[in-house]
Amino acid sequence: MTLLHTLKQKTHVFNTEIYALYLSYRDNRVRWYVQVLLAIAIGYALSPLDLVPDLNPVLGYLDDVVIVALTLTMSYGFLTRSVRDEARLQAYEEMSQENEKSILALKVIGYTWVLLLTLIALVFYKFIFLGTSY
């Protein structure tokens, strides 16, 4: 149970750091080339598309680790300390509280998945048991 709890905490910290980078990106005090690097870092960290597909046993995951770690490290290096600290503080404050919008969004996404899975189950039921074809 403690391993799962530790993993959840580390995931929360990583998500909060990504959000802090996003908040830094939106800050007016950040130079344009740092904003471009932040956009690449955030986009690649959150993107399901990779330069090397994950089907390759070692290189598929290694490129994710190297590119994300390198771009995040470079991004933090170019940010000023005040921008970085303010963004982290704001990110931790916003990510630690559950507001009504995030709960509503979670419900909408959950209900959408349940509806989609129900529709898929109905289509399979018709194909298998009723012999209906479209």
Side-chain angles (χ1 to χ4, degrees):
M1 204 59 174
T2 59
L3 181 64
L4 182 63
H5 183 67
T6 304
L7 187 61
K8 283 182 181 180
Q9 283 180 334
K10 289 185 180 195
T11 304
H12 180 70
V13 168
F14 181 73
N15 289 337
T16 306
E17 290 295 324
I18 295 293
Y19 187 59
L21 281 176
Y22 170 72
L23 293 174
S24 298
Y25 167 80
R26 294 183 60 199
D27 198 332
N28 293 332
R29 296 174 288 176
V30 177
R31 297 181 186 240
W32 68 269
Y33 57 89
V34 179
Q35 287 182 337
V36 169
L37 186 61
L38 284 170
I40 292 170
I42 294 167
Y44 196 81
L46 299 178
S47 173
L49 302 176
D50 296 333
L51 292 178
V52 178
D54 290 338
L55 298 175
N56 295 337
V58 175
L59 295 178
Y61 296 111
L62 187 62
D63 81 314
D64 292 340
V65 172
V66 170
I67 291 174
V68 170
L70 183 66
T71 54
L72 290 180
T73 303
M74 287 175 56
S75 299
Y76 274 120
F78 287 134
L79 289 173
T80 61
R81 172 166 266 168
S82 63
V83 170
R84 189 173 53 227
D85 290 342
E86 288 174 16
R88 276 185 182 160
L89 182 63
Q90 184 180 356
Y92 276 105
E93 286 175 355
E94 290 181 17
M95 296 286 283
S96 64
Q97 63 184 359
E98 291 184 8
N99 56 14
E100 293 179 18
K101 288 183 181 179
S102 63
I103 293 172
L104 178 64
L106 181 63
K107 286 180 180 179
V108 168
I109 292 169
Y111 291 144
T112 303
W113 275 107
V114 168
L115 178 65
L116 181 66
L117 291 174
T118 304
L119 289 175
I120 290 171
L122 286 173
V123 169
F124 278 126
Y125 178 78
K126 284 187 175 186
F127 279 127
I128 294 172
F129 294 111
L130 299 177
T132 306
S133 63
Y134 288 102

